Amino acid sequence: QVQLVESGGGLVQPGGSLRLSCAASGFTFSNYIVRWYRQAPGKERDLVASNTNFGTTNYADSVKGRFTIIRDNFKNTVYLQMNSLKPEDTAVYRCNARTGSGSRDYWGQGTQVTVSS
């Protein structure tokens, strides 16, 4: 059974840090491009960070220098280390694993991140 399970969300004060995890099972994780998306209430879903199966990473301009996507193929897990959090980072964060061709596309259920004092 294919699964992506996120964890690590929560409430944090501005300037704080969180580390999200996304554990994959049921497919060959190392062959997939992995991405983190977020969606705030009333807004469209935005791509936050991506990591290809060749190790190339990309980030949205809004999170560059603050967020880091980390991939561990041995643990079938992708992480999103989030530092210097801002209220505008508040959103539901979801991980995605997709083949380069797009023939297989899997999503996690999401985890809430709230940045507030």
Side-chain angles (χ1 to χ4, degrees):
Q1 181 182 1
V2 171
Q3 278 192 311
L4 288 175
V5 180
E6 297 104 334
S7 61
L11 174 64
V12 63
Q13 292 187 342
S17 298
L18 281 176
R19 191 182 205 192
L20 306 183
S21 300
C22 174
S25 59
F27 61 100
T28 307
F29 179 76
S30 60
N31 292 342
Y32 284 67
I33 301 167
V34 290
R35 297 180 174 96
W36 284 98
Y37 288 84
R38 68 184 181 186
Q39 188 167 18
K43 294 188 177 180
E44 294 185 353
R45 184 175 63 202
D46 291 328
L47 176 62
V48 175
S50 63
N51 184 298
T52 72
N53 47 334
F54 298 104
T56 302
T57 58
N58 283 289
Y59 297 93
D61 288 342
S62 59
V63 307
K64 280 182 181 176
R66 300 189 298 122
F67 290 12
T68 304
I69 185 169
I70 304 162
R71 180 188 194 124
D72 187 335
N73 287 333
F74 293 103
K75 294 183 178 179
N76 288 346
T77 300
V78 58
Y79 306 94
L80 186 67
Q81 178 66 43
M82 305 186 294
N83 299 328
S84 302
L85 283 161
K86 304 175 182 180
E88 51 263 44
D89 295 319
T90 295
V92 174
Y93 285 71
R94 297 179 71 189
C95 64
N96 168 262
R98 187 181 184 192
T99 56
S101 66
S103 60
R104 290 178 172 78
D105 190 15
Y106 305 128
W107 289 88
Q109 82 287 354
T111 186
Q112 175 71 46
V113 172
T114 303
V115 185
S116 175
S117 54

mmCIF file of all heavy atoms in Angstrom, residues 37-89:
data_model
loop_
_atom_site.group_PDB
_atom_site.id
_atom_site.type_symbol
_atom_site.label_atom_id
_atom_site.label_comp_id
_atom_site.label_asym_id
_atom_site.label_seq_id
_atom_site.Cartn_x
_atom_site.Cartn_y
_atom_site.Cartn_z
ATOM 1 N N TYR A 37 4.674 21.150 -0.466
ATOM 2 C CA TYR A 37 3.757 22.217 -0.832
ATOM 3 C C TYR A 37 3.120 22.754 0.454
ATOM 4 O O TYR A 37 3.106 22.087 1.488
ATOM 5 C CB TYR A 37 2.642 21.692 -1.738
ATOM 6 C CG TYR A 37 3.054 21.339 -3.136
ATOM 7 C CD1 TYR A 37 3.609 20.091 -3.424
ATOM 8 C CD2 TYR A 37 2.871 22.238 -4.182
ATOM 9 C CE1 TYR A 37 3.974 19.755 -4.715
ATOM 10 C CE2 TYR A 37 3.230 21.910 -5.481
ATOM 11 C CZ TYR A 37 3.768 20.668 -5.734
ATOM 12 O OH TYR A 37 4.125 20.340 -7.027
ATOM 13 N N ARG A 38 2.540 23.931 0.334
ATOM 14 C CA ARG A 38 1.755 24.471 1.448
ATOM 15 C C ARG A 38 0.562 25.230 0.901
ATOM 16 O O ARG A 38 0.594 25.754 -0.207
ATOM 17 C CB ARG A 38 2.603 25.360 2.353
ATOM 18 C CG ARG A 38 3.059 26.671 1.724
ATOM 19 C CD ARG A 38 3.977 27.401 2.690
ATOM 20 N NE ARG A 38 4.435 28.672 2.142
ATOM 21 C CZ ARG A 38 5.338 29.444 2.730
ATOM 22 N NH1 ARG A 38 5.894 29.063 3.884
ATOM 23 N NH2 ARG A 38 5.698 30.585 2.185
ATOM 24 N N GLN A 39 -0.464 25.272 1.723
ATOM 25 C CA GLN A 39 -1.676 25.993 1.356
ATOM 26 C C GLN A 39 -2.232 26.665 2.595
ATOM 27 O O GLN A 39 -2.585 26.006 3.578
ATOM 28 C CB GLN A 39 -2.710 25.058 0.734
ATOM 29 C CG GLN A 39 -3.904 25.793 0.168
ATOM 30 C CD GLN A 39 -4.761 24.911 -0.716
ATOM 31 O OE1 GLN A 39 -4.685 23.686 -0.669
ATOM 32 N NE2 GLN A 39 -5.582 25.522 -1.563
ATOM 33 N N ALA A 40 -2.316 27.980 2.514
ATOM 34 C CA ALA A 40 -2.903 28.770 3.589
ATOM 35 C C ALA A 40 -4.395 28.943 3.310
ATOM 36 O O ALA A 40 -4.823 28.854 2.147
ATOM 37 C CB ALA A 40 -2.211 30.120 3.681
ATOM 38 N N PRO A 41 -5.184 29.204 4.334
ATOM 39 C CA PRO A 41 -6.629 29.382 4.135
ATOM 40 C C PRO A 41 -6.932 30.461 3.104
ATOM 41 O O PRO A 41 -6.381 31.566 3.172
ATOM 42 C CB PRO A 41 -7.127 29.785 5.520
ATOM 43 C CG PRO A 41 -6.136 29.202 6.453
ATOM 44 C CD PRO A 41 -4.820 29.282 5.760
ATOM 45 N N GLY A 42 -7.777 30.136 2.142
ATOM 46 C CA GLY A 42 -8.174 31.102 1.135
ATOM 47 C C GLY A 42 -7.149 31.369 0.061
ATOM 48 O O GLY A 42 -7.354 32.257 -0.786
ATOM 49 N N LYS A 43 -6.048 30.621 0.081
ATOM 50 C CA LYS A 43 -4.994 30.844 -0.903
ATOM 51 C C LYS A 43 -4.747 29.576 -1.713
ATOM 52 O O LYS A 43 -5.142 28.477 -1.324
ATOM 53 C CB LYS A 43 -3.704 31.281 -0.213
ATOM 54 C CG LYS A 43 -3.814 32.637 0.468
ATOM 55 C CD LYS A 43 -2.466 33.115 0.961
ATOM 56 C CE LYS A 43 -2.565 34.497 1.562
ATOM 57 N NZ LYS A 43 -1.249 34.997 2.048
ATOM 58 N N GLU A 44 -4.056 29.737 -2.823
ATOM 59 C CA GLU A 44 -3.716 28.599 -3.659
ATOM 60 C C GLU A 44 -2.570 27.818 -3.027
ATOM 61 O O GLU A 44 -1.807 28.313 -2.209
ATOM 62 C CB GLU A 44 -3.320 29.071 -5.056
ATOM 63 C CG GLU A 44 -4.459 29.700 -5.840
ATOM 64 C CD GLU A 44 -4.054 30.053 -7.260
ATOM 65 O OE1 GLU A 44 -2.870 29.928 -7.593
ATOM 66 O OE2 GLU A 44 -4.946 30.444 -8.033
ATOM 67 N N ARG A 45 -2.453 26.570 -3.470
ATOM 68 C CA ARG A 45 -1.347 25.732 -3.025
ATOM 69 C C ARG A 45 -0.053 26.206 -3.690
ATOM 70 O O ARG A 45 -0.017 26.415 -4.902
ATOM 71 C CB ARG A 45 -1.625 24.279 -3.381
ATOM 72 C CG ARG A 45 -0.585 23.300 -2.873
ATOM 73 C CD ARG A 45 -1.028 21.887 -3.165
ATOM 74 N NE ARG A 45 -1.128 21.641 -4.596
ATOM 75 C CZ ARG A 45 -1.872 20.678 -5.133
ATOM 76 N NH1 ARG A 45 -2.592 19.888 -4.343
ATOM 77 N NH2 ARG A 45 -1.903 20.506 -6.432
ATOM 78 N N ASP A 46 0.978 26.346 -2.902
ATOM 79 C CA ASP A 46 2.264 26.820 -3.396
ATOM 80 C C ASP A 46 3.333 25.752 -3.204
ATOM 81 O O ASP A 46 3.372 25.069 -2.182
ATOM 82 C CB ASP A 46 2.711 28.084 -2.649
ATOM 83 C CG ASP A 46 1.851 29.282 -2.968
ATOM 84 O OD1 ASP A 46 1.355 29.377 -4.106
ATOM 85 O OD2 ASP A 46 1.684 30.129 -2.071
ATOM 86 N N LEU A 47 4.225 25.670 -4.175
ATOM 87 C CA LEU A 47 5.388 24.804 -4.038
ATOM 88 C C LEU A 47 6.408 25.481 -3.134
ATOM 89 O O LEU A 47 6.761 26.638 -3.357
ATOM 90 C CB LEU A 47 6.005 24.528 -5.415
ATOM 91 C CG LEU A 47 7.288 23.711 -5.438
ATOM 92 C CD1 LEU A 47 7.063 22.316 -4.874
ATOM 93 C CD2 LEU A 47 7.840 23.640 -6.855
ATOM 94 N N VAL A 48 6.871 24.760 -2.131
ATOM 95 C CA VAL A 48 7.826 25.309 -1.170
ATOM 96 C C VAL A 48 9.248 24.866 -1.511
ATOM 97 O O VAL A 48 10.167 25.684 -1.555
ATOM 98 C CB VAL A 48 7.467 24.854 0.252
ATOM 99 C CG1 VAL A 48 8.518 25.322 1.247
ATOM 100 C CG2 VAL A 48 6.084 25.349 0.643
ATOM 101 N N ALA A 49 9.426 23.564 -1.727
ATOM 102 C CA ALA A 49 10.773 23.041 -1.965
ATOM 103 C C ALA A 49 10.669 21.718 -2.703
ATOM 104 O O ALA A 49 9.674 21.004 -2.574
ATOM 105 C CB ALA A 49 11.512 22.844 -0.646
ATOM 106 N N SER A 50 11.712 21.399 -3.449
ATOM 107 C CA SER A 50 11.735 20.130 -4.166
ATOM 108 C C SER A 50 13.130 19.529 -4.144
ATOM 109 O O SER A 50 14.134 20.247 -3.995
ATOM 110 C CB SER A 50 11.270 20.312 -5.618
ATOM 111 O OG SER A 50 12.164 21.164 -6.318
ATOM 112 N N ASN A 51 13.167 18.210 -4.288
ATOM 113 C CA ASN A 51 14.434 17.480 -4.332
ATOM 114 C C ASN A 51 14.286 16.367 -5.356
ATOM 115 O O ASN A 51 13.433 15.499 -5.197
ATOM 116 C CB ASN A 51 14.764 16.919 -2.953
ATOM 117 C CG ASN A 51 16.122 16.237 -2.911
ATOM 118 O OD1 ASN A 51 16.356 15.258 -3.610
ATOM 119 N ND2 ASN A 51 17.020 16.742 -2.096
ATOM 120 N N THR A 52 15.075 16.411 -6.413
ATOM 121 C CA THR A 52 14.955 15.390 -7.444
ATOM 122 C C THR A 52 15.666 14.112 -7.013
ATOM 123 O O THR A 52 16.415 14.089 -6.028
ATOM 124 C CB THR A 52 15.579 15.857 -8.760
ATOM 125 O OG1 THR A 52 17.005 15.874 -8.615
ATOM 126 C CG2 THR A 52 15.099 17.247 -9.137
ATOM 127 N N ASN A 53 15.454 13.060 -7.762
ATOM 128 C CA ASN A 53 16.119 11.809 -7.442
ATOM 129 C C ASN A 53 17.613 11.857 -7.799
ATOM 130 O O ASN A 53 18.335 10.898 -7.551
ATOM 131 C CB ASN A 53 15.435 10.627 -8.134
ATOM 132 C CG ASN A 53 15.151 10.897 -9.596
ATOM 133 O OD1 ASN A 53 15.010 12.025 -10.016
ATOM 134 N ND2 ASN A 53 15.040 9.846 -10.381
ATOM 135 N N PHE A 54 18.085 12.978 -8.351
ATOM 136 C CA PHE A 54 19.510 13.201 -8.566
ATOM 137 C C PHE A 54 20.094 14.139 -7.517
ATOM 138 O O PHE A 54 21.266 14.474 -7.571
ATOM 139 C CB PHE A 54 19.756 13.773 -9.961
ATOM 140 C CG PHE A 54 19.327 12.853 -11.059
ATOM 141 C CD1 PHE A 54 18.161 13.102 -11.765
ATOM 142 C CD2 PHE A 54 20.066 11.727 -11.372
ATOM 143 C CE1 PHE A 54 17.751 12.254 -12.776
ATOM 144 C CE2 PHE A 54 19.662 10.871 -12.375
ATOM 145 C CZ PHE A 54 18.500 11.140 -13.078
ATOM 146 N N GLY A 55 19.254 14.597 -6.604
ATOM 147 C CA GLY A 55 19.733 15.411 -5.500
ATOM 148 C C GLY A 55 19.656 16.909 -5.718
ATOM 149 O O GLY A 55 20.073 17.679 -4.859
ATOM 150 N N THR A 56 19.107 17.340 -6.840
ATOM 151 C CA THR A 56 18.964 18.781 -7.087
ATOM 152 C C THR A 56 17.833 19.342 -6.240
ATOM 153 O O THR A 56 16.743 18.758 -6.187
ATOM 154 C CB THR A 56 18.661 19.041 -8.561
ATOM 155 O OG1 THR A 56 19.702 18.484 -9.360
ATOM 156 C CG2 THR A 56 18.567 20.541 -8.825
ATOM 157 N N THR A 57 18.088 20.466 -5.580
ATOM 158 C CA THR A 57 17.064 21.089 -4.748
ATOM 159 C C THR A 57 16.683 22.457 -5.299
ATOM 160 O O THR A 57 17.507 23.142 -5.915
ATOM 161 C CB THR A 57 17.543 21.250 -3.299
ATOM 162 O OG1 THR A 57 18.733 22.035 -3.295
ATOM 163 C CG2 THR A 57 17.843 19.906 -2.662
ATOM 164 N N ASN A 58 15.435 22.810 -5.071
ATOM 165 C CA ASN A 58 14.933 24.130 -5.442
ATOM 166 C C ASN A 58 13.985 24.614 -4.363
ATOM 167 O O ASN A 58 13.313 23.811 -3.711
ATOM 168 C CB ASN A 58 14.202 24.077 -6.788
ATOM 169 C CG ASN A 58 15.157 24.004 -7.959
ATOM 170 O OD1 ASN A 58 15.834 24.970 -8.289
ATOM 171 N ND2 ASN A 58 15.255 22.836 -8.573
ATOM 172 N N TYR A 59 13.935 25.940 -4.209
ATOM 173 C CA TYR A 59 13.119 26.535 -3.155
ATOM 174 C C TYR A 59 12.332 27.715 -3.706
ATOM 175 O O TYR A 59 12.796 28.419 -4.610
ATOM 176 C CB TYR A 59 14.008 27.030 -2.011
ATOM 177 C CG TYR A 59 14.780 25.935 -1.326
ATOM 178 C CD1 TYR A 59 16.064 25.619 -1.726
ATOM 179 C CD2 TYR A 59 14.213 25.214 -0.277
ATOM 180 C CE1 TYR A 59 16.771 24.599 -1.112
ATOM 181 C CE2 TYR A 59 14.920 24.204 0.353
ATOM 182 C CZ TYR A 59 16.194 23.899 -0.078
ATOM 183 O OH TYR A 59 16.899 22.889 0.540
ATOM 184 N N ALA A 60 11.175 27.934 -3.116
ATOM 185 C CA ALA A 60 10.443 29.158 -3.395
ATOM 186 C C ALA A 60 11.246 30.330 -2.852
ATOM 187 O O ALA A 60 11.929 30.224 -1.833
ATOM 188 C CB ALA A 60 9.071 29.104 -2.722
ATOM 189 N N ASP A 61 11.154 31.465 -3.531
ATOM 190 C CA ASP A 61 11.908 32.640 -3.090
ATOM 191 C C ASP A 61 11.578 33.018 -1.652
ATOM 192 O O ASP A 61 12.437 33.491 -0.909
ATOM 193 C CB ASP A 61 11.623 33.825 -4.014
ATOM 194 C CG ASP A 61 12.269 33.665 -5.380
ATOM 195 O OD1 ASP A 61 13.196 32.837 -5.519
ATOM 196 O OD2 ASP A 61 11.837 34.370 -6.310
ATOM 197 N N SER A 62 10.345 32.809 -1.256
ATOM 198 C CA SER A 62 9.889 33.225 0.074
ATOM 199 C C SER A 62 10.531 32.425 1.201
ATOM 200 O O SER A 62 10.493 32.848 2.359
ATOM 201 C CB SER A 62 8.371 33.112 0.166
ATOM 202 O OG SER A 62 7.958 31.780 -0.073
ATOM 203 N N VAL A 63 11.114 31.267 0.891
ATOM 204 C CA VAL A 63 11.691 30.435 1.949
ATOM 205 C C VAL A 63 13.197 30.219 1.786
ATOM 206 O O VAL A 63 13.825 29.593 2.649
ATOM 207 C CB VAL A 63 10.987 29.064 2.039
ATOM 208 C CG1 VAL A 63 9.477 29.245 2.176
ATOM 209 C CG2 VAL A 63 11.319 28.183 0.855
ATOM 210 N N LYS A 64 13.778 30.734 0.720
ATOM 211 C CA LYS A 64 15.219 30.548 0.497
ATOM 212 C C LYS A 64 16.021 31.089 1.666
ATOM 213 O O LYS A 64 15.762 32.185 2.157
ATOM 214 C CB LYS A 64 15.648 31.251 -0.792
ATOM 215 C CG LYS A 64 15.328 30.473 -2.054
ATOM 216 C CD LYS A 64 15.815 31.211 -3.291
ATOM 217 C CE LYS A 64 15.470 30.425 -4.552
ATOM 218 N NZ LYS A 64 15.857 31.167 -5.774
ATOM 219 N N GLY A 65 16.982 30.296 2.102
ATOM 220 C CA GLY A 65 17.819 30.686 3.219
ATOM 221 C C GLY A 65 17.235 30.365 4.577
ATOM 222 O O GLY A 65 17.932 30.464 5.589
ATOM 223 N N ARG A 66 15.958 29.983 4.609
ATOM 224 C CA ARG A 66 15.313 29.635 5.882
ATOM 225 C C ARG A 66 14.906 28.170 5.956
ATOM 226 O O ARG A 66 14.941 27.571 7.032
ATOM 227 C CB ARG A 66 14.071 30.508 6.078
ATOM 228 C CG ARG A 66 14.349 31.997 6.109
ATOM 229 C CD ARG A 66 13.107 32.787 6.515
ATOM 230 N NE ARG A 66 12.005 32.631 5.569
ATOM 231 C CZ ARG A 66 10.792 32.159 5.906
ATOM 232 N NH1 ARG A 66 10.542 31.813 7.154
ATOM 233 N NH2 ARG A 66 9.840 32.052 4.986
ATOM 234 N N PHE A 67 14.494 27.605 4.822
ATOM 235 C CA PHE A 67 14.026 26.219 4.784
ATOM 236 C C PHE A 67 15.046 25.356 4.055
ATOM 237 O O PHE A 67 15.709 25.804 3.117
ATOM 238 C CB PHE A 67 12.696 26.117 4.032
ATOM 239 C CG PHE A 67 11.508 26.717 4.731
ATOM 240 C CD1 PHE A 67 11.636 27.522 5.845
ATOM 241 C CD2 PHE A 67 10.228 26.448 4.267
ATOM 242 C CE1 PHE A 67 10.540 28.067 6.478
ATOM 243 C CE2 PHE A 67 9.112 26.978 4.879
ATOM 244 C CZ PHE A 67 9.273 27.795 5.985
ATOM 245 N N THR A 68 15.122 24.106 4.476
ATOM 246 C CA THR A 68 16.000 23.143 3.821
ATOM 247 C C THR A 68 15.251 21.828 3.634
ATOM 248 O O THR A 68 14.679 21.299 4.605
ATOM 249 C CB THR A 68 17.265 22.883 4.653
ATOM 250 O OG1 THR A 68 17.943 24.117 4.910
ATOM 251 C CG2 THR A 68 18.213 21.953 3.905
ATOM 252 N N ILE A 69 15.254 21.319 2.412
ATOM 253 C CA ILE A 69 14.663 20.010 2.146
ATOM 254 C C ILE A 69 15.774 18.982 2.206
ATOM 255 O O ILE A 69 16.832 19.150 1.599
ATOM 256 C CB ILE A 69 13.911 19.984 0.794
ATOM 257 C CG1 ILE A 69 13.205 18.648 0.600
ATOM 258 C CG2 ILE A 69 14.827 20.303 -0.376
ATOM 259 C CD1 ILE A 69 12.220 18.653 -0.582
ATOM 260 N N ILE A 70 15.523 17.935 2.965
ATOM 261 C CA ILE A 70 16.537 16.902 3.194
ATOM 262 C C ILE A 70 15.929 15.553 2.860
ATOM 263 O O ILE A 70 14.855 15.216 3.372
ATOM 264 C CB ILE A 70 16.992 16.905 4.676
ATOM 265 C CG1 ILE A 70 17.507 18.285 5.074
ATOM 266 C CG2 ILE A 70 18.070 15.841 4.909
ATOM 267 C CD1 ILE A 70 17.563 18.504 6.580
ATOM 268 N N ARG A 71 16.630 14.815 2.036
ATOM 269 C CA ARG A 71 16.109 13.526 1.584
ATOM 270 C C ARG A 71 16.985 12.399 2.130
ATOM 271 O O ARG A 71 18.196 12.469 2.039
ATOM 272 C CB ARG A 71 16.134 13.504 0.057
ATOM 273 C CG ARG A 71 15.633 12.249 -0.574
ATOM 274 C CD ARG A 71 15.908 12.311 -2.066
ATOM 275 N NE ARG A 71 15.157 11.278 -2.728
ATOM 276 C CZ ARG A 71 14.307 11.479 -3.716
ATOM 277 N NH1 ARG A 71 14.124 12.690 -4.188
ATOM 278 N NH2 ARG A 71 13.666 10.479 -4.252
ATOM 279 N N ASP A 72 16.349 11.391 2.698
ATOM 280 C CA ASP A 72 17.070 10.219 3.201
ATOM 281 C C ASP A 72 16.479 8.979 2.529
ATOM 282 O O ASP A 72 15.441 8.467 2.959
ATOM 283 C CB ASP A 72 16.950 10.125 4.721
ATOM 284 C CG ASP A 72 17.819 9.032 5.309
ATOM 285 O OD1 ASP A 72 18.155 8.058 4.596
ATOM 286 O OD2 ASP A 72 18.172 9.134 6.497
ATOM 287 N N ASN A 73 17.136 8.514 1.495
ATOM 288 C CA ASN A 73 16.605 7.359 0.745
ATOM 289 C C ASN A 73 16.699 6.058 1.538
ATOM 290 O O ASN A 73 15.959 5.110 1.259
ATOM 291 C CB ASN A 73 17.336 7.205 -0.588
ATOM 292 C CG ASN A 73 16.943 8.274 -1.586
ATOM 293 O OD1 ASN A 73 15.842 8.820 -1.534
ATOM 294 N ND2 ASN A 73 17.844 8.587 -2.496
ATOM 295 N N PHE A 74 17.603 6.007 2.509
ATOM 296 C CA PHE A 74 17.700 4.799 3.326
ATOM 297 C C PHE A 74 16.508 4.669 4.268
ATOM 298 O O PHE A 74 16.055 3.569 4.573
ATOM 299 C CB PHE A 74 19.002 4.792 4.116
ATOM 300 C CG PHE A 74 20.218 4.666 3.253
ATOM 301 C CD1 PHE A 74 21.009 5.764 2.964
ATOM 302 C CD2 PHE A 74 20.581 3.445 2.699
ATOM 303 C CE1 PHE A 74 22.124 5.649 2.156
ATOM 304 C CE2 PHE A 74 21.697 3.315 1.887
ATOM 305 C CZ PHE A 74 22.466 4.425 1.617
ATOM 306 N N LYS A 75 16.001 5.796 4.709
ATOM 307 C CA LYS A 75 14.839 5.793 5.598
ATOM 308 C C LYS A 75 13.542 6.044 4.845
ATOM 309 O O LYS A 75 12.472 6.109 5.466
ATOM 310 C CB LYS A 75 15.014 6.859 6.688
ATOM 311 C CG LYS A 75 16.159 6.580 7.645
ATOM 312 C CD LYS A 75 16.209 7.630 8.735
ATOM 313 C CE LYS A 75 17.325 7.325 9.727
ATOM 314 N NZ LYS A 75 17.412 8.352 10.803
ATOM 315 N N ASN A 76 13.629 6.215 3.519
ATOM 316 C CA ASN A 76 12.425 6.535 2.720
ATOM 317 C C ASN A 76 11.679 7.729 3.303
ATOM 318 O O ASN A 76 10.440 7.710 3.427
ATOM 319 C CB ASN A 76 11.498 5.326 2.631
ATOM 320 C CG ASN A 76 12.049 4.239 1.739
ATOM 321 O OD1 ASN A 76 12.988 4.449 0.978
ATOM 322 N ND2 ASN A 76 11.484 3.046 1.853
ATOM 323 N N THR A 77 12.427 8.740 3.648
ATOM 324 C CA THR A 77 11.840 9.898 4.328
ATOM 325 C C THR A 77 12.406 11.184 3.732
ATOM 326 O O THR A 77 13.590 11.250 3.394
ATOM 327 C CB THR A 77 12.137 9.841 5.834
ATOM 328 O OG1 THR A 77 11.580 8.637 6.371
ATOM 329 C CG2 THR A 77 11.523 11.029 6.562
ATOM 330 N N VAL A 78 11.546 12.180 3.634
ATOM 331 C CA VAL A 78 11.984 13.516 3.259
ATOM 332 C C VAL A 78 11.598 14.463 4.393
ATOM 333 O O VAL A 78 10.519 14.334 4.982
ATOM 334 C CB VAL A 78 11.394 13.967 1.908
ATOM 335 C CG1 VAL A 78 9.875 13.959 1.918
ATOM 336 C CG2 VAL A 78 11.943 15.325 1.495
ATOM 337 N N TYR A 79 12.484 15.370 4.702
ATOM 338 C CA TYR A 79 12.289 16.321 5.781
ATOM 339 C C TYR A 79 12.222 17.741 5.217
ATOM 340 O O TYR A 79 12.761 18.024 4.149
ATOM 341 C CB TYR A 79 13.441 16.254 6.785
ATOM 342 C CG TYR A 79 13.701 14.877 7.343
ATOM 343 C CD1 TYR A 79 14.651 14.040 6.755
ATOM 344 C CD2 TYR A 79 13.003 14.407 8.457
ATOM 345 C CE1 TYR A 79 14.896 12.770 7.258
ATOM 346 C CE2 TYR A 79 13.257 13.148 8.966
ATOM 347 C CZ TYR A 79 14.195 12.337 8.365
ATOM 348 O OH TYR A 79 14.424 11.085 8.865
ATOM 349 N N LEU A 80 11.577 18.607 5.978
ATOM 350 C CA LEU A 80 11.630 20.027 5.685
ATOM 351 C C LEU A 80 12.017 20.732 6.974
ATOM 352 O O LEU A 80 11.216 20.822 7.908
ATOM 353 C CB LEU A 80 10.283 20.542 5.160
ATOM 354 C CG LEU A 80 10.299 22.001 4.694
ATOM 355 C CD1 LEU A 80 11.164 22.149 3.440
ATOM 356 C CD2 LEU A 80 8.878 22.489 4.408
ATOM 357 N N GLN A 81 13.257 21.182 7.016
ATOM 358 C CA GLN A 81 13.741 21.939 8.168
ATOM 359 C C GLN A 81 13.374 23.394 7.947
ATOM 360 O O GLN A 81 13.781 23.998 6.950
ATOM 361 C CB GLN A 81 15.258 21.778 8.308
ATOM 362 C CG GLN A 81 15.845 22.577 9.444
ATOM 363 C CD GLN A 81 15.378 22.102 10.804
ATOM 364 O OE1 GLN A 81 15.310 20.901 11.061
ATOM 365 N NE2 GLN A 81 15.043 23.040 11.682
ATOM 366 N N MET A 82 12.605 23.948 8.866
ATOM 367 C CA MET A 82 12.106 25.312 8.727
ATOM 368 C C MET A 82 12.645 26.149 9.878
ATOM 369 O O MET A 82 12.338 25.870 11.048
ATOM 370 C CB MET A 82 10.579 25.320 8.730
ATOM 371 C CG MET A 82 9.964 24.400 7.679
ATOM 372 S SD MET A 82 8.182 24.547 7.569
ATOM 373 C CE MET A 82 7.704 23.923 9.178
ATOM 374 N N ASN A 83 13.434 27.137 9.557
ATOM 375 C CA ASN A 83 14.009 28.045 10.550
ATOM 376 C C ASN A 83 13.498 29.459 10.325
ATOM 377 O O ASN A 83 12.976 29.780 9.254
ATOM 378 C CB ASN A 83 15.540 28.022 10.444
ATOM 379 C CG ASN A 83 16.137 26.652 10.712
ATOM 380 O OD1 ASN A 83 15.612 25.865 11.500
ATOM 381 N ND2 ASN A 83 17.245 26.353 10.062
ATOM 382 N N SER A 84 13.685 30.291 11.326
ATOM 383 C CA SER A 84 13.279 31.709 11.234
ATOM 384 C C SER A 84 11.850 31.832 10.718
ATOM 385 O O SER A 84 11.562 32.615 9.805
ATOM 386 C CB SER A 84 14.241 32.475 10.319
ATOM 387 O OG SER A 84 15.566 32.377 10.787
ATOM 388 N N LEU A 85 10.966 31.078 11.321
ATOM 389 C CA LEU A 85 9.580 31.041 10.844
ATOM 390 C C LEU A 85 8.885 32.376 11.028
ATOM 391 O O LEU A 85 9.137 33.106 12.004
ATOM 392 C CB LEU A 85 8.824 29.924 11.537
ATOM 393 C CG LEU A 85 9.136 28.527 10.990
ATOM 394 C CD1 LEU A 85 8.739 27.442 11.986
ATOM 395 C CD2 LEU A 85 8.434 28.314 9.665
ATOM 396 N N LYS A 86 7.997 32.657 10.088
ATOM 397 C CA LYS A 86 7.240 33.907 10.079
ATOM 398 C C LYS A 86 5.746 33.580 10.097
ATOM 399 O O LYS A 86 5.348 32.494 9.659
ATOM 400 C CB LYS A 86 7.555 34.693 8.805
ATOM 401 C CG LYS A 86 9.025 34.992 8.591
ATOM 402 C CD LYS A 86 9.247 35.671 7.248
ATOM 403 C CE LYS A 86 10.721 35.941 7.004
ATOM 404 N NZ LYS A 86 10.955 36.604 5.687
ATOM 405 N N PRO A 87 4.927 34.501 10.558
ATOM 406 C CA PRO A 87 3.474 34.251 10.537
ATOM 407 C C PRO A 87 2.964 33.875 9.148
ATOM 408 O O PRO A 87 2.039 33.058 9.037
ATOM 409 C CB PRO A 87 2.896 35.574 11.016
ATOM 410 C CG PRO A 87 3.952 36.130 11.913
ATOM 411 C CD PRO A 87 5.256 35.751 11.254
ATOM 412 N N GLU A 88 3.558 34.421 8.120
ATOM 413 C CA GLU A 88 3.106 34.108 6.762
ATOM 414 C C GLU A 88 3.482 32.700 6.316
ATOM 415 O O GLU A 88 3.062 32.263 5.234
ATOM 416 C CB GLU A 88 3.639 35.126 5.752
ATOM 417 C CG GLU A 88 5.122 35.375 5.814
ATOM 418 C CD GLU A 88 5.479 36.599 6.637
ATOM 419 O OE1 GLU A 88 4.894 36.781 7.741
ATOM 420 O OE2 GLU A 88 6.366 37.362 6.195
ATOM 421 N N ASP A 89 4.238 31.971 7.115
ATOM 422 C CA ASP A 89 4.518 30.565 6.827
ATOM 423 C C ASP A 89 3.382 29.657 7.311
ATOM 424 O O ASP A 89 3.412 28.443 7.052
ATOM 425 C CB ASP A 89 5.825 30.127 7.491
ATOM 426 C CG ASP A 89 7.041 30.838 6.925
ATOM 427 O OD1 ASP A 89 7.108 31.013 5.692
ATOM 428 O OD2 ASP A 89 7.919 31.215 7.722
#
